[in-house]
Amino acid sequence: MALTLHALTALRVMRAIRAGTVPGSFQRRCEIPSQTPTPPHSWTRKRVVEKLAFLGEVASFTEKRPLDLLVADKSTRIRTKGVRCSYRTGSYPGGAFVDLGHDVAISGPELTFVELARIMDPAVHLLLGMELCGRFSRDALDPRNGTVTYGIEPVTTVERLRNFAQEAHWIRGAEQALVTIDRIVENAWSPMEALIATLLALPANELGYDLWPIALNPRKELNEELARLSDVHSRVPDVMFRATNVGLNYDGEDHFKLRNIARTAVEADRHPEDSSYEQALEGALAEARSCIVADKRRDRDLMALGLVVFSVTKEDLEESGGFDRLIGQVIEAIEAEGVRDLSAQRRHLRNRSHAEARQELIWSLMPSRESAHAHKRLAKWQAILDRLEEYDITFTTENGEVRIVSLEQL
């Protein structure tokens, strides 16, 4: 095998394979790739680029976004700008790698998860675990704001991750990975479900709500009579707190297709003489109404099953303290059932410093477009700038970041 990609580079390729934008199959597992006898000095940048051309942009590399390569030892490392080499230091479990063909392999999902444990924050690492064990994949090049691929098969399971980390305990990151694996919840259908699950599963000392264990997208069967009246046989709440009848449903940013209504309304106003635009507006309104009715019927079915399922909106997560307020209601509902004592979770919820830090964590994990986090950061920086005016320090802000322009006196 000529080149073995690992760590962050392997993750980018893995996401692209899941999205179907590059060729590859996770079924093509292989043992530790053998190093070709090609002299390392012959691997020029041009040759590396040519070898990885079949992977397209996800395998492009610069000094700021290097190509992560796993090599046999120090003597086989490739010395070219933008390439970062790590050395193999032990015997890997069987099937630790994925053969992509073209004499190229990547670390498999389990190995990648372990490798990234030592460089990712605990919350981000837990999010990654839920993605790999879930039915969605983030964008390979822009995981925060890029296109999400939905409705795909998981590439691994909690059991496989745990078995791998235990067997490969000598790998740096294996110990941290085992801690994270205990909190992973399988079957997330979207990044926002995974985000909510991460916040619920994280312990309080890592700014989570410590309401684990939970289940994602559990199917709740309706009884025969209710199924006949509802014309559906089951309902699937996004989150259920295990051993309780309490759950959550996330309503996405444009769940009721309001943007579509706005667009069609503008077009109808621009073309009053064309009845097709008016018909399109009526169709958009009907679609939104249909979504609302479907949600109401879903909520009634869940209530008929004795479940208390709270709706979560993007605003609950973006507004300072918004998700804390919702979790306070969840705790009330769970404790009302008398099955769990959540007094410790209540105390952490009331801790102001914890609440502020937790909100910062939530903002840091959400898509960054026009987030409240950016506005809050700018407000903090503005206060600092106001206090430093007397020192004649000039700054400029670009996309929410502060950059020193000149420092004339201090």
Side-chain angles (χ1 to χ4, degrees), residues 178-397:
L178 284 169
V179 174
T180 304
I181 289 165
D182 285 340
R183 296 276 174 168
I184 293 175
V185 188
E186 296 178 339
N187 201 36
W189 290 0
S190 71
M192 291 307 295
E193 283 184 8
L195 170 58
I196 291 169
T198 294
L199 296 170
L200 298 174
L202 281 174
N205 63 355
E206 293 178 8
L207 302 179
Y209 294 102
D210 199 18
L211 289 171
W212 186 86
I214 60 177
L216 287 175
N217 299 295
R219 189 165 295 280
K220 301 293 182 179
E221 299 294 336
L222 306 183
N223 62 46
E224 185 177 347
E225 182 64 18
L226 191 56
R228 183 182 64 81
L229 294 172
S230 301
D231 201 28
V232 294
H233 297 282
S234 62
R235 293 295 188 181
V236 184
D238 294 340
V239 179
M240 288 298 297
F241 299 91
R242 291 192 183 277
T244 79
N245 291 313
V246 181
L248 300 173
N249 268 327
Y250 178 71
D251 292 335
E253 182 178 4
D254 197 25
H255 182 59
F256 297 127
K257 317 293 184 184
L258 300 182
R259 285 199 180 96
N260 188 36
I261 292 174
R263 284 194 295 267
T264 53
V266 168
E267 291 301 313
D269 187 58
R270 286 176 177 172
H271 306 88
E273 73 290 347
D274 191 338
S275 62
S276 65
Y277 288 97
E278 188 65 31
Q279 292 171 3
L281 177 58
E282 291 296 326
L285 290 168
E287 183 182 13
R289 181 64 184 172
S290 176
C291 290
I292 294 170
V293 171
D295 275 9
K296 297 297 183 184
R297 289 172 176 169
R298 175 204 64 193
D299 294 344
R300 291 199 300 264
D301 283 341
L302 293 172
M303 289 176 61
L305 292 173
L307 305 180
V308 179
V309 180
F310 293 87
S311 292
V312 184
T313 67
K314 182 184 178 185
E315 288 72 18
D316 291 320
L317 294 159
E318 280 198 332
E319 293 174 7
S320 183
F323 201 49
D324 277 8
R325 288 191 292 272
L326 176 61
I327 294 303
Q329 296 171 324
V330 168
I331 289 174
E332 291 282 350
I334 293 175
E335 288 199 322
E337 295 183 345
V339 295
R340 293 179 66 178
D341 177 11
L342 299 177
S343 53
Q345 286 83 349
R346 284 180 180 274
R347 285 196 300 272
H348 287 295
L349 205 59
R350 290 195 295 264
N351 186 307
R352 180 171 294 180
S353 61
H354 277 210
E356 291 177 355
R358 184 166 49 245
Q359 187 62 63
E360 290 282 350
L361 172 65
I362 293 172
W363 283 329
S364 73
L365 297 176
M366 292 186 69
S368 60
R369 294 187 298 266
E370 300 298 324
S371 68
H373 179 57
H375 297 296
K376 185 178 179 70
R377 284 296 193 192
L378 282 174
K380 285 183 177 180
W381 275 111
Q382 189 59 57
I384 294 172
L385 299 180
D386 292 341
R387 293 179 61 187
L388 291 177
E389 276 186 346
E390 59 185 288
Y391 297 110
D392 294 327
I393 302 174
T394 60
F395 295 78
T396 182
T397 58

Side-chain angles (χ1 to χ4, degrees), residues 34 76 84 229 294 333 380:
S34 59
T76 58
R84 180 169 54 195
L229 294 172
K380 285 183 177 180

Side-chain angles (χ1 to χ4, degrees), residues 29-55:
R29 296 300 185 102
C30 62
E31 306 304 311
I32 186 167
S34 59
Q35 202 75 28
T36 60
T38 307
H41 62 78
S42 68
W43 281 102
T44 62
R45 178 183 177 84
K46 179 180 179 181
R47 188 177 176 201
V48 173
V49 168
E50 290 173 348
K51 172 58 80 172
L52 300 176
F54 74 102
L55 293 175

